[in-house]
Amino acid sequence: MISAPRDGPATRIAAKETWAKAGRLIDAAPAPVSRRLPPGQTLRRDWPVLDLGTQPNPGLSDWRLVVGGMVARPVQWRWADVLRQTSADSTSDIHCVAGWSRFDNEWRGVPVRWLLAQGRPKPAARFALIKGLDGYGTCLALGDLAAEGALLATHWQDEPLSRSHGGPLRLVVPHLYFWKSAKWLRQIWLTDRYAHGTWESRGYHHRGDPWQQQRYGRS
Ligand SMILES: Nc1nc2c(c(=O)[nH]1)N[C@H]1C(S)=C(S)[C@@H](COP(=O)(O)O)O[C@H]1N2
Ligand SMILES: [Mo]
């Protein structure tokens, strides 16, 4: 049974009209930058390029993305398959463990959740080993990889993602330090246990939450 709300739509519309006339919240102070900037970070406007010294340049005809390991239905996409998937926009801030942050990056790509739904992770799958074409690797908990806003990014600020920033396709997991966002994405391998990637094996944190300053160490 649906009971009539005590203040109906007309009352709510009237309230909003009053707020609009009064300019409610317009004069509220914007959130201070520090509330958007995690501890120890410095804001920059440019976008540094960080890699292991090589920038792969895959021909799109040979390009493949593989999702395997503990999945019921392994996925292998060609570039044309990527273009056929659901795409979404997501604006987020970059936080690099090296201490710089960059606000308001407009990404477009395939939601990671969509990709995982194709692969159907087995119940025992808990982590994902991510590999880039340059041999780079990183490891994420499946829950972090499947977070709202996590994308397989094809575009940045309405332009195809440049090769230097990981094009044609990179991972973007905005709530973790940027080293978890593998460039030149090649493979996602689901497992039941954590394994070190490139930076994790060199002392970087297994999770990397910038708000908790999870830069180094394993706990
Ligand atoms: N394949 C690959 N992905 C990678 C890296 C890399 O060297 N290779 N570097 C990581 C690190 S440490 C950071 S800070 C970001 C840098 O991304 P950018 O060059 O687009 O700023 O990519 C991450 N993903
Ligand atoms: Mo980084």
Side-chain angles (χ1 to χ4, degrees):
M1 193 191 87
I2 299 167
S3 54
R6 255 196 302 150
D7 46 29
T11 319
R12 273 179 271 131
I13 290 167
K16 289 208 167 170
E17 276 172 355
T18 313
W19 295 343
K21 280 202 199 100
R24 183 176 184 259
L25 295 183
I26 284 187
D27 290 328
V33 158
S34 59
R35 263 201 246 149
R36 249 183 105 177
L37 199 59
Q41 297 294 106
T42 304
L43 192 58
R44 339 186 19 151
R45 298 191 144 268
D46 62 341
W47 186 10
V49 170
L50 288 110
D51 55 49
L52 300 173
T54 54
Q55 297 185 347
N57 195 10
L60 289 185
S61 52
D62 307 328
W63 187 94
R64 297 286 185 282
L65 174 66
V66 171
V67 181
M70 302 181 85
V71 289
R73 216 169 46 173
V75 174
Q76 200 189 119
W77 282 349
R78 294 167 174 262
W79 185 249
D81 298 319
V82 173
L83 300 179
R84 273 199 290 273
Q85 308 301 317
T86 285
S87 85
D89 297 302
S90 169
T91 301
S92 60
D93 300 342
I94 293 171
H95 306 299
C96 171
V97 70
W100 56 269
S101 292
R102 189 179 188 288
F103 288 167
D104 294 321
N105 298 277
E106 293 170 21
W107 302 102
R108 181 155 72 245
V110 180
V112 175
R113 283 183 186 177
W114 172 264
L115 170 66
L116 290 174
Q118 315 297 308
R120 298 208 212 120
K122 294 184 176 172
R126 290 185 52 221
F127 292 94
L129 304 172
I130 314 289
K131 289 274 176 205
L133 283 163
D134 58 344
Y136 182 84
T138 187
C139 185
L140 290 93
L142 198 47
D144 282 322
L145 181 65
E148 176 86 55
L151 286 184
L152 311 165
T154 55
H155 289 74
W156 177 83
Q157 316 289 91
D158 249 352
E159 298 284 346
L161 185 63
S162 68
R163 178 176 160 221
S164 62
H165 286 298
L169 190 84
R170 80 175 295 162
L171 184 61
V172 175
V173 180
H175 69 292
L176 298 177
Y177 282 124
F178 209 34
W179 91 79
K180 298 287 182 178
S181 294
K183 308 188 344 179
W184 309 295
L185 188 61
R186 172 170 74 80
Q187 188 183 75
I188 298 178
W189 202 256
L190 301 201
T191 68
D192 55 357
R193 71 194 67 178
Y194 171 83
H196 284 318
T198 304
W199 296 120
E200 294 90 351
S201 67
R202 291 168 173 83
Y204 284 74
H205 198 277
H206 70 280
R207 179 149 192 263
D209 177 350
W211 297 96
Q212 310 286 330
Q213 286 224 68
Q214 292 175 341
R215 295 174 194 273
Y216 319 110
R218 290 216 43 203
S219 54

